[in-house]
Amino acid sequence: MSTRHDTKKPFIDPLLWAQIIELWHRGSAWILGPVLVGLMAVGLAVGSERMTVLNDHLIHLHPWAPLLFMPAGFAMLAYLGNRFAPGSQGGGIPQTIAATDTETTASLSHLLSWRIALSKALLTLGGIGLGASIGREGPTIQIGASVMHSFYGRGPFQSLESRRILILAGGAAGIAAAFNTPLAGIMFAIEELSKKHVFNANSSTLVTIIGSGLISLSVLGSYTYFGTTESFLSWNGSLPAILLCGLVGGAAGGLFSRLLVLMTFHLPENLAQRINKHPLLFAAACGLLVAVLGIYSHGLIFGTGYQPTRLSLENTATLPWYFGIAKLAATLISSLSGIAGGVFAPSLSIGAGLGDNISALFPNMADHSAIVLMVMTAYLAGVTRAPVTSFIIAMEMTNNHQMLLPLMAASVVASRISKFISPVPLYHRLSESFTDPATRQFRRSDVGPRSDSLILHEAEKYSSRIKMHPEREANRIKEQ
């Protein structure tokens, strides 16, 4: 009598099951990912407005109150970021660029992660609540890139190219949702995030931008960042105004970039060592300086600068003559302090102040609102060296398509002028501190500026440790 063994067939064919798993991973990345980016961007936008109101209340408690809470607040934010979320300091765009340019499969958790994304949002809101001259747009880019990067290593997202696509899509979606400017999101990914790589505006990237944009629209509604302006500038006789705005905005933006790079990397060694030895004291000193500037300007330079910029664009208020210069100084100090926060919105505010100065000096040269808008665009192009992104953001955030050609011309002139003053683009120069493998480990805990000689010295110490104890260093890096 023979025994019969029946072979059980699997409930689902393994090949079909593998296809279902791959489809699930793709769907979660390109559907759930954009939703999460949009929700984070909306939360940061709403939180930013609430923190601005909170800052107004704090300032009105007593005229001298910022001299007390700003130094303490800056030090606390610097400590929290350095202690619990290294890599969350600054605007976040340099970290995103560094992650995009990484050519190895090494972990990027020190640049992009859910911990950094959540910490970045909270620390940025804290800075705005204190009155630091920072914006939420740069942080939103790093947050978006972190959210999309979290899908890397799952299903089909195993290659370096797929990781780069996820980061680019998240960063582009972040800037699009922050300004409600979808087209600017794509251009930013092309101009800034992928200068070293070929960017393909594939359907996945577009889906991410559209998805996050729809979330923003459904919650915040259809809005323009700075309202609507009907200013118009004809080409007949307006060329001097365009060139002047491009020249002033580009020179000021290039000067800001040059100063930030110099004070970050090229300080005298003794001063850099003191700052790095007492980072919290340095952050408190930065907070005190911003507080003094804020008191002198009657609170105008605190926060993003959104309200005075909008009033100037709408021709409903005249800014003080010192507003642009004071806002530039406050933004520079806030950027050096080591706290989280971007420079996009403050840059637009600085441009508005400088544009108001030009309009006051040459009242008959062109419409006031047109001058302000052109210098805003030119200054942003001077800082970022991304002229196309700059004029698209300016056009979309004011819903003014009539100014397209003047804005294009002013931003191109500004970008060229800025290059003479600061040859290396700001974000890419700052990203170098995250892409150098020899310096990455100790720069993760940095707050404040450093000298190049100090960086080189510590890099040599780090390299010698690797040579002497390779296994110990490899385990330490793995644990981090």
Side-chain angles (χ1 to χ4, degrees):
M1 186 174 180
S2 60
T3 304
R4 185 176 178 182
H5 298 281
D6 295 331
T7 304
K8 293 183 178 180
K9 293 182 178 180
F11 182 71
I12 298 179
D13 182 71
L15 182 59
L16 177 61
W17 179 248
Q19 292 175 343
I20 293 174
I21 293 297
E22 180 175 346
L23 184 62
W24 161 253
H25 284 298
R26 287 187 182 276
S28 61
W30 302 121
I31 297 177
L32 179 61
V35 171
L36 293 174
V37 173
L39 289 175
M40 292 286 285
V42 168
L44 194 55
V46 174
S48 177
E49 294 179 0
R50 301 290 172 82
M51 289 298 102
T52 300
V53 174
L54 173 63
N55 180 252
D56 290 338
H57 287 313
L58 290 175
I59 294 172
H60 286 95
L61 289 176
H62 192 279
W64 303 102
L67 295 176
L68 296 178
F69 68 77
M70 290 193 72
F74 269 55
M76 181 185 68
L77 292 177
Y79 169 77
L80 292 174
N82 189 38
R83 175 67 178 82
F84 299 104
S88 64
Q89 294 86 355
I93 297 176
Q95 293 94 315
T96 306
I97 292 174
T100 305
D101 293 343
T102 300
E103 299 292 347
T104 67
T105 56
S107 172
L108 296 178
S109 59
H110 62 292
L111 299 175
L112 303 174
S113 67
W114 271 106
R115 182 175 66 174
I116 287 180
L118 295 174
S119 301
K120 189 81 167 187
L122 294 176
L123 293 172
T124 300
L125 292 178
I128 294 174
L130 287 173
S133 184
I134 57 175
R136 60 178 169 85
E137 294 75 24
T140 307
I141 293 171
Q142 189 181 14
I143 290 170
S146 294
V147 170
M148 295 304 296
H149 179 262
S150 67
F151 294 97
Y152 172 67
R154 306 172 188 272
F157 304 108
Q158 304 290 337
S159 66
L160 287 175
E161 184 61 26
S162 64
R163 178 167 72 176
R164 187 170 293 121
I165 290 174
L166 287 170
I167 295 173
L168 288 174
I175 193 69
F179 280 114
N180 191 28
T181 54
L183 185 56
I186 298 174
M187 291 311 305
F188 182 80
I190 295 173
E191 278 194 305
E192 276 295 329
L193 300 183
S194 58
K195 280 189 175 182
K196 298 181 181 179
H197 309 280
V198 177
F199 175 77
N200 296 316
N202 52 33
S203 58
S204 301
T205 306
L206 296 177
V207 164
T208 308
I209 295 173
I210 294 170
S212 62
L214 288 175
I215 296 297
S216 178
L217 287 174
S218 63
V219 177
L220 302 177
S222 180
Y223 71 99
T224 50
Y225 193 85
F226 282 120
T228 302
T229 172
E230 300 295 333
S231 59
F232 175 73
L233 197 65
S234 64
W235 282 98
N236 298 330
S238 61
L239 187 59
I242 296 172
L243 293 176
L244 180 60
C245 291
L247 175 64
V248 173
L255 178 63
F256 174 86
S257 299
R258 184 66 178 267
L259 289 174
L260 186 55
V261 169
L262 286 175
M263 298 180 75
T264 302
F265 296 103
H266 304 290
L267 284 179
E269 186 173 345
N270 291 336
L271 180 59
Q273 287 179 342
R274 290 181 181 179
I275 291 174
N276 283 278
K277 189 177 180 180
H278 305 285
L280 302 186
L281 185 61
F282 176 73
C286 290
L288 180 62
L289 290 175
V290 175
V292 171
L293 288 171
I295 292 173
Y296 177 77
S297 65
H298 305 287
L300 283 178
I301 61 95
F302 286 140
T304 62
Y306 168 82
Q307 193 62 30
T309 303
R310 181 163 186 164
L311 293 176
S312 180
L313 273 174
E314 294 176 346
N315 293 321
T316 55
T318 301
L319 299 176
W321 67 267
Y322 54 79
F323 175 77
I325 300 172
K327 186 66 176 175
L328 188 152
T331 304
L332 180 64
I333 295 168
S334 298
S335 299
L336 289 168
S337 67
I339 66 174
V343 300
F344 256 93
S347 293
L348 293 169
S349 185
I350 294 167
L354 297 177
D356 199 72
N357 293 148
I358 293 175
S359 182
L361 290 173
F362 306 98
N364 298 322
M365 185 170 60
D367 177 67
H368 171 268
S369 183
I371 293 291
V372 169
L373 186 57
M374 281 196 296
V375 181
M376 288 169 61
T377 308
Y379 183 85
L380 183 61
V383 172
T384 63
R385 295 276 291 283
V388 180
T389 301
S390 299
F391 73 70
I392 289 178
I393 285 179
M395 180 187 68
E396 289 190 302
M397 72 183 181
T398 58
N399 195 30
N400 190 333
H401 299 268
Q402 302 176 95
M403 287 286 294
L404 177 58
L405 289 178
L407 293 179
M408 289 175 64
S411 62
V412 170
V413 170
S415 182
R416 299 303 298 177
I417 295 296
S418 175
K419 188 175 182 179
F420 286 109
I421 300 173
S422 183
V424 182
L426 175 63
Y427 292 134
H428 288 267
R429 180 66 179 94
L430 296 178
S431 72
E432 292 174 5
S433 61
F434 300 99
T435 55
D436 185 353
T439 62
R440 189 189 72 189
Q441 294 303 318
F442 61 79
R443 282 196 64 81
R444 284 175 58 182
S445 61
D446 284 350
V447 178
R450 303 173 64 88
S451 70
D452 281 348
S453 58
L454 181 61
I455 293 174
L456 180 60
H457 174 66
E458 295 189 22
E460 290 173 351
K461 288 170 56 180
Y462 178 71
S463 299
S464 64
R465 290 204 310 267
I466 293 178
K467 291 177 181 178
M468 294 175 61
H469 308 286
E471 294 182 358
R472 183 189 303 173
E473 288 301 311
N475 291 332
R476 185 177 68 85
I477 294 172
K478 188 180 296 183
E479 290 175 0
Q480 289 178 346

